[in-house]
């Protein structure tokens, strides 16, 4: 952390020095910045995905969930092949921001990336339920129950049927 200001100063004077840029990336990657610090990093290098990730995570740590969700969306848009864990982290930020539709949208994306993961399917079913898409939530619970008839799943599905007016 102590080396970061010096490295930033050097990179500002020699922006094409790849060794200095790599050292700056390494120094910044070694600690968790504040949202203000990470925002400065993104301003310095807007296309460097690790800085965008650091910004999104810092905003979550600082309970700025709406900004974090937006930062994660920007990161995912610029990442050609995001990992399921990156998309799930973005979904969590949307959930924390109270964005049930964004949460469900991203969990659907995670489910495509890891269709065999029952915990993802359960999270997706819960997100669909929260967003008000009861029919699709019931379908996800049906899939889960077919694989493993767990009482909690049966209860969750039963609640959705009752809330939908179906018995």
């Amino acid at each position: 952390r102590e080396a970061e200001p010096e490295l930033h100063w050097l990179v500002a004077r020699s922006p094409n020095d790849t060794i200095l840029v790599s050292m700056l990336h390494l120094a910044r990657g070694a600690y968790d910045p504040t949202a203000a610090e990470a925002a400065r990093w993104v301003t310095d290098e807007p296309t460097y995905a690790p800085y965008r990730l650091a910004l999104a995570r810092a905003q979550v740590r600082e309970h700025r969930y709406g900004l974090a969700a937006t930062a994660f969306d920007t990161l995912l848009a610029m990442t050609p092949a995001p990992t399921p864990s990156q998309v799930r982290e973005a979904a969590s930020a949307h959930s924390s921001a109270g964005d049930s539709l964004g949460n469900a949208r991203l969990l659907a994306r995670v489910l495509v990336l890891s269709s065999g993961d029952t915990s993802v399917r359960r999270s997706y079913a819960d997100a669909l339920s929260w967003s008000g898409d009861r029919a699709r939530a019931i379908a996800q619970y049906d899939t889960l129950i077919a694989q493993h008839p767990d009482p909690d799943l049966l209860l969750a599905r039963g609640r959705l049927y009752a809330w939908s007016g179906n018995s």
Side-chain angles (χ1 to χ4, degrees), residues 46-122:
T47 60
Y48 189 59
Y51 288 172
R52 293 232 177 239
L53 180 60
L55 174 60
R57 287 178 174 167
Q59 289 168 330
V60 167
R61 281 192 307 276
E62 294 174 12
H63 307 284
R64 301 157 99 190
Y65 302 117
L67 293 172
T70 301
F72 273 114
D73 288 346
T74 302
L75 174 65
L76 294 178
M78 66 183 277
T79 305
T83 65
S85 64
Q86 288 172 327
V87 181
R88 197 163 191 174
E89 191 173 1
S92 177
H94 278 270
S95 177
S96 295
D99 178 11
S100 63
L101 295 175
N103 180 39
R105 173 183 49 84
L106 289 166
L107 286 172
R109 198 168 162 187
V110 176
L111 190 58
V112 167
L113 296 170
S114 52
S115 61
D117 188 335
T118 58
S119 69
V120 171
R121 188 172 301 278
R122 173 64 191 260

